[in-house]
Amino acid sequence: MRRWLAAVSITMVSVLGLAACGGDGGGQTAQTPAAEGGGKQQVEVFSWWTGPGEADGLQAMKKIFEEKNPNYTFFDAAVAGGSGDKAKALLQSKLQASTPPDTFQGHAGAELQGYIKAGNLEDLTPLYDELKLKDVFPEQLVEQISVDGKIYSVPVNIHRSNVLWFNPAVLKEAGVAGAPKTIEEFVAALEKVKAKGKIPLSIGSEWTVTHLLESVLLGTLGADAYNALFKPGADWNSPQVTTALQSFAKIMEYAGDPQDDWQPAAKQVADGEAAFNIMGDWAYGYFHNPPEGGLGKTSKTDFDWAPSPGTEGTYLWLSDSFTLPKGAKNREGATAWLKVAASKEGQDAFNPKKGSIPARKDADQSLYTDYLADALKDWSSNKLAGSIQHGVAVNQPWLAAINEAVGLFIGTKDVKALQQALADAATANAQ
């Protein structure tokens, strides 16, 4: 029955996803890119970057790509939905049908393991050698995206998951002196905001709750114990995890009505309707970018940031990357796109708009100001922990099990059942 439901779910998502696909294809769907007039060939780039900030960054790279490659035209096959859940479901159906896009976005780390084991991806090590990318990407990042000595994706950025976004005016009104540094201080601040009649904590769709959970786990356990959860033999039934989940449940008591996705939840903070939101630093681009591509808000006045409670000194990281699927219709065009995504020019055009920092070590640091300057500094000095929701720490089946457990918890509020479900997911999927 579960397998049948999963198949139905994928089919339905595929239908919905096709309706959501954007692009420059002259009315074609994302599944049927074709050559344009004049002999230009389309390069189908599959992602989930459709919202303000992220779409702006993608368009900035598109411009560079088409300038450098006049024989190609960029075909935007983006599927709406934060964190890429809908896009990944549609992508899986395309891969199973042997109709892959020319290149697709994936999170660096464990998320790509399923595609690699299934033989869906080409080895990009020769491209790394050609472009000398091992010299410009951090060693730890290259290790994370390597499997058995081979590299299967090109990272375009580094994101931070554990960011607490807050509205300074709402905190001041509630008598909260500043960003809470511990879980206990966070709960106390949420209570003060609630007493003033504002939303203490804004949340989006279900995946944003898993995103919140990973920050609470990290803030309670610390970096070493958090990272140990994803190694074989990890004890998800430990008293320390129980404490973390109890804190998570308490924090969720202060959450407002779930919004459709992360953007409307973040907007509640920027508009002064809510005090706090825990979201990745892609929210910075949304807050900061001009109104035509963002909210046009002023940092330190309309919004501010800090590491999520209890996580100062640790960078909960993820990286967006692009791949080369086996059987891509336009392999040469896809390779040309990967070269732009890997380039200093491409990353410096993309990341300031996206609200992320470059994967390359040689990027123009003068472009990264305000929040992004803080992120660059912390990336080079903090301990590192891998994101759950965004594919670094767990593979896709494990994440699906975690999201299922979180979804049930939202309805039941049963901490014991949540912990057992998380323990069962780790037992079934840890490698």
Side-chain angles (χ1 to χ4, degrees):
M1 178 61 73
R2 180 171 292 186
R3 287 194 295 270
W4 181 83
L5 288 172
V8 172
S9 175
I10 288 175
T11 301
M12 291 298 294
V13 168
S14 299
V15 173
L16 294 171
L18 285 171
C21 290
D24 299 325
Q28 302 176 78
T29 70
Q31 290 197 336
T32 57
E36 288 190 342
K40 285 189 176 183
Q41 296 183 51
Q42 290 183 341
V43 180
E44 183 183 1
V45 179
F46 189 94
S47 77
W48 51 85
W49 289 331
T50 63
E54 57 194 17
D56 301 319
L58 183 61
Q59 290 302 307
M61 278 204 297
K62 169 192 171 182
K63 182 179 179 181
I64 295 171
F65 170 74
E66 293 187 333
E67 287 175 350
K68 289 183 174 294
N69 300 280
N71 293 327
Y72 296 129
T73 184
F74 179 95
F75 186 88
D76 187 354
V79 177
S83 195
D85 291 347
K86 292 180 180 179
K88 293 170 196 172
L90 176 58
L91 174 64
Q92 191 60 42
S93 69
K94 290 168 71 70
L95 293 175
Q96 289 173 350
S98 299
T99 57
D102 295 316
T103 178
F104 65 83
Q105 174 193 357
H107 289 128
E111 180 179 297
L112 297 180
Q113 290 175 0
Y115 302 123
I116 296 168
K117 290 180 179 179
N120 296 137
L121 301 181
E122 287 198 31
D123 175 14
L124 296 178
T125 307
L127 182 66
Y128 271 68
D129 294 339
E130 176 189 346
L131 302 179
K132 297 181 170 51
L133 295 180
K134 292 181 182 179
D135 296 334
V136 296
F137 289 152
E139 182 179 355
Q140 61 191 347
L141 183 59
V142 173
E143 291 175 357
Q144 187 67 62
I145 59 179
S146 300
V147 176
D148 297 330
K150 298 179 180 179
I151 308 172
Y152 293 89
S153 67
V154 172
V156 69
N157 67 359
I158 299 294
H159 268 304
R160 188 173 196 171
S161 167
N162 59 317
V163 185
L164 178 71
W165 303 98
F166 60 95
N167 186 298
V170 175
L171 264 60
K172 184 177 180 180
E173 180 185 354
V176 178
K181 293 184 176 296
T182 67
I183 297 291
E184 293 75 17
E185 290 179 4
F186 189 36
V187 172
L190 293 168
E191 180 62 33
K192 288 182 178 180
V193 174
K194 180 181 178 181
K196 288 295 183 179
K198 292 291 181 73
I199 300 169
L201 176 70
S202 64
I203 58 170
S205 51
E206 187 175 297
W207 74 265
T208 72
V209 181
T210 302
H211 183 109
L212 170 66
L213 172 61
E214 69 183 27
S215 269
V216 176
L217 285 169
L218 178 62
T220 306
L221 300 174
D224 293 341
Y226 172 91
N227 286 330
L229 288 176
F230 310 104
K231 297 177 181 178
D235 185 7
W236 280 81
N237 276 315
S238 71
Q240 292 78 17
V241 173
T242 303
T243 298
L245 296 180
Q246 289 171 340
S247 295
F248 170 67
K250 183 65 177 177
I251 290 167
M252 281 294 294
E253 291 178 9
Y254 295 95
D257 293 335
Q259 303 298 296
D260 289 340
D261 211 336
W262 69 267
Q263 291 99 332
K267 189 174 186 294
Q268 288 181 316
V269 172
D271 289 347
E273 298 173 15
F276 297 106
N277 179 259
I278 292 179
M279 185 44 56
D281 53 12
W282 45 91
Y284 175 73
Y286 178 55
F287 287 138
H288 176 76
N289 287 352
E292 59 269 20
L295 297 178
K297 298 293 186 177
T298 302
S299 65
K300 303 296 182 178
T301 301
D302 299 317
F303 70 97
D304 205 342
W305 59 85
S308 57
T311 71
E312 187 171 2
T314 301
Y315 209 102
L316 188 56
W317 74 280
L318 59 138
S319 175
D320 294 304
S321 63
F322 282 95
T323 63
L324 181 59
K326 290 182 179 178
K329 295 179 292 297
N330 190 346
R331 185 182 182 280
E332 290 186 4
T335 301
W337 169 256
L338 293 177
K339 289 181 178 180
V340 171
S343 70
K344 181 178 182 296
E345 182 182 6
Q347 296 202 4
D348 279 344
F350 172 78
N351 284 295
K353 293 182 181 295
K354 177 69 159 62
S356 49
I357 59 175
R360 295 179 66 106
K361 297 182 291 186
D362 61 349
D364 183 354
Q365 295 195 11
S366 69
L367 299 174
Y368 301 89
T369 60
D370 207 28
Y371 165 78
L372 297 176
D374 287 351
L376 273 175
K377 174 172 61 75
D378 288 350
W379 170 247
S380 63
S381 62
N382 281 196
K383 286 186 174 181
L384 300 184
S387 169
I388 297 172
Q389 175 60 40
H390 305 287
V392 178
V394 300
N395 57 31
Q396 293 198 62
W398 193 349
L399 176 59
I402 291 173
N403 278 328
E404 182 179 357
V406 169
L408 290 172
F409 170 80
I410 291 172
T412 66
K413 310 296 190 295
D414 188 336
V415 171
K416 184 176 180 180
L418 173 61
Q419 184 163 12
Q420 188 58 55
L422 294 175
D424 291 345
T427 300
N429 293 286
Q431 299 179 356

